[in-house]
Amino acid sequence: MTELIDHRDHTSSSVMPTYSRLPIAFVRGEGAWLWDQEGRRYLDALSGIAVCNLGHAHPELSKVLCDQATQLWHTSNLYQIPPQEQLAKELCRLSGMENVFFCNSGAEANEGAIKIARALGASRHITEPKIVVTEGSFHGRTLATLSATGNPKVHQGFEPLVPGFIRVPFNDLVALEDLSGRHDIVAVLVEPLQGEGGVRIPDRGYLRQLRSLCDRNDWLMMLDEVQTGMGRTGHWFAFQRENIVPDVLTVAKALGNGFPIGACVAKGKAAQILTAGMHGSTFGGNFLGCRVALEVIRIIEEQSLIPVASSLGQALHARFCQKLAHLPQLKEIRSQGLMLGIELQAPCGHLVAEALKKGLLINVTANNVIRLLPPLILDDGQAEQLVSTVVDLISGMTS
Ligand SMILES: *Cc1c(COP(=O)(O)O)cnc(C)c1O
């Protein structure tokens, strides 16, 4: 086995030390596999944090990217961009929404949502409009999105935070109900299930009741589907599980399968608020990103990967239950489609490096939750390798 060499030499690195990186560099990928510099193969059960849902170096995506690269990369949003129009139509068709603002990341998509809410407040002559957000949430690292994020570690050192957010516990409709009738509130921004927060899934009916609460109060229902969107949970978007439609939907991560692109998608009055000059992005919705995202959508539909995410997720969940239920280390297994969280009794961050030694990429979030976000193209053999390796890792822990 290759020794893991620590490349984190802070004296020689010219990159800001904002990440605690694992001492490994990958040089090549294919589907759910990655290879390191020594030629060793790894199974990727994280997909670049819910980004490479179609796996690495997908031949059809590479072809479209190369094709477009020989034609035209970027003009500007000063001009018409036909693939951007097409991609907006596709996102609206899949989500039931009406129009789209394109950007380059999840945080930027949420900035768009926050600006829509603020501008709605201004149109109602509310001087200090408020957006309700939840504890344990993650919305990004820009100043507004870190302020919306419900994790003190993300705030630390960046005060004063952007004002205008009211925080309630996640999955708590009573706390939201208590805010009813407040006219300074313009929107609620939540993840349909929390990813960074530890794969926390709200009770069935949470989104549906949130929808009716927003309707009664004339608040925008804004869903951050940056991690859950694009098929990950067994639906194109997680809200579709409850047969509702939000007013604002944010998407990024898997939209470009690794090519940076984000989208803020709107409906009804939210779709009418931002007009010429109110928002913009230099790169947002350029030719390369839009062509890749259109191909991502085409492949997911052609290969019927949405039902696959659902059935494969259920199968993995069942296998983990079968093999882990008796272990004292286990607290709970949670999943929706291919978003799986295995909560243990004790902190388990060290399992990430141990998994790597066994040729598997996983993640640990919220201290004691193993988070698995495998690509939607995982085959049966890979699924079995994933289960057996994770089971070995947990079994090997002293509880
Ligand atoms: C990753 C993530 C973001 C931030 O996306 P970036 O592309 O890193 O800016 C926002 N919201 C959720 C739910 C995420 O998982």
Side-chain angles (χ1 to χ4, degrees):
M1 189 189 301
T2 327
E3 266 307 300
L4 294 177
I5 301 154
D6 194 343
H7 295 288
R8 285 170 295 169
D9 184 344
H10 297 303
T11 54
S12 71
S13 178
S14 301
V15 177
M16 278 192 200
T18 58
Y19 307 98
S20 50
R21 296 175 198 271
L22 288 156
I24 190 162
F26 300 104
V27 292
R28 189 166 71 85
E30 191 184 312
W33 299 116
L34 283 170
W35 283 266
D36 70 10
Q37 291 160 316
E38 277 82 40
R40 196 166 171 244
R41 192 175 79 164
Y42 298 80
L43 180 63
D44 185 359
L46 189 59
S47 310
I49 318 183
V51 170
C52 303
N53 282 7
L54 299 179
H56 300 283
H58 193 290
E60 285 158 280
L61 291 176
S62 303
K63 183 174 182 305
V64 161
L65 183 59
C66 292
D67 271 2
Q68 187 60 48
T70 63
Q71 295 291 313
L72 188 59
W73 292 21
H74 175 89
T75 51
S76 154
N77 284 306
L78 294 171
Y79 312 104
Q80 308 285 320
I81 302 175
Q84 192 182 115
E85 295 289 337
Q86 281 172 30
L87 179 59
K89 282 213 163 55
E90 286 292 90
L91 286 173
C92 291
R93 172 176 69 84
L94 298 170
S95 63
M97 306 288 282
E98 281 169 26
N99 63 16
V100 185
F101 174 83
F102 287 105
C103 53
N104 314 286
S105 68
E108 269 184 87
N110 288 331
E111 287 277 344
I114 292 165
K115 281 182 72 171
I116 288 173
R118 286 274 181 104
L120 175 69
S123 76
R124 290 178 181 169
H125 308 289
I126 300 169
T127 45
E128 289 181 35
K130 304 286 192 300
I131 299 170
V132 182
V133 291
T134 66
E135 290 168 8
S137 63
F138 183 78
H139 298 296
R141 299 288 197 154
T142 61
L143 271 176
T145 60
L146 79 81
S147 301
T149 291
N151 177 352
K153 276 191 214 151
V154 172
H155 300 160
Q156 182 81 49
F158 301 109
E159 287 91 355
L161 301 181
V162 172
F165 296 102
I166 298 175
R167 200 171 303 286
V168 296
F170 185 61
N171 192 28
D172 186 341
L173 285 160
V174 176
L176 278 160
E177 194 78 57
D178 286 346
L179 296 170
S180 275
R182 272 190 62 169
H183 294 294
D184 59 338
I185 294 175
V186 286
V188 179
L189 171 65
V190 295
E191 297 152 270
L193 57 146
Q194 292 184 338
E196 303 304 304
V199 191
R200 290 179 61 200
I201 302 169
D203 299 334
R204 199 154 195 130
Y206 178 67
L207 295 180
R208 170 162 289 280
Q209 293 187 56
L210 179 58
R211 177 69 275 179
S212 65
L213 194 65
C214 286
D215 286 340
R216 266 183 283 136
N217 285 286
D218 210 4
W219 299 338
L220 296 179
M221 179 182 186
M222 310 202 299
L223 293 181
D224 178 346
E225 294 235 22
V226 168
Q227 188 160 152
T228 53
M230 300 306 291
R232 168 68 45 194
T233 68
H235 299 273
W236 275 103
F237 301 100
F239 68 77
Q240 289 165 333
R241 176 174 182 248
E242 294 202 9
N243 284 314
I244 50 115
V245 184
D247 301 296
V248 177
L249 161 70
T250 59
V251 191
K253 291 198 164 96
L255 180 56
N257 208 67
F259 194 95
I261 180 169
C264 176
V265 189
K267 187 181 192 321
K269 58 180 172 293
Q272 310 304 321
I273 290 170
L274 297 181
T275 54
M278 289 179 76
H279 197 32
S281 164
T282 296
F283 297 136
N286 83 4
F287 287 84
L288 295 170
C290 290
R291 285 290 307 279
V292 171
L294 280 164
E295 186 67 3
V296 165
I297 291 170
R298 194 194 66 73
I299 294 167
I300 292 175
E301 289 201 312
E302 186 191 75
Q303 302 188 1
S304 304
L305 290 174
I306 305 284
V308 167
S310 173
S311 57
L312 186 56
Q314 279 171 27
L316 283 170
H317 188 121
R319 288 288 285 144
F320 279 122
C321 282
Q322 187 188 16
K323 297 211 151 198
L324 294 174
H326 65 284
L327 291 182
Q329 293 91 326
L330 182 74
K331 194 163 179 187
E332 190 181 35
I333 302 174
R334 299 184 284 271
S335 73
Q336 205 165 299
L338 283 176
M339 206 160 157
L340 293 100
I342 302 174
E343 182 166 351
L344 302 183
Q345 300 288 355
C348 57
H350 63 286
L351 292 185
V352 172
E354 283 186 29
L356 206 55
K357 287 186 197 157
K358 293 179 183 287
L360 178 70
L361 272 63
I362 60 167
N363 174 254
V364 167
T365 185
N367 243 338
N368 62 335
V369 181
I370 298 175
R371 179 172 49 160
L372 304 174
L373 300 162
L376 278 53
I377 47 92
L378 199 75
D379 69 28
D380 290 347
Q382 292 166 334
E384 200 42 50
Q385 180 180 336
L386 168 58
V387 171
S388 65
T389 311
V390 169
V391 169
D392 282 354
L393 286 165
I394 298 172
S395 311
M397 282 174 78
T398 44
S399 59

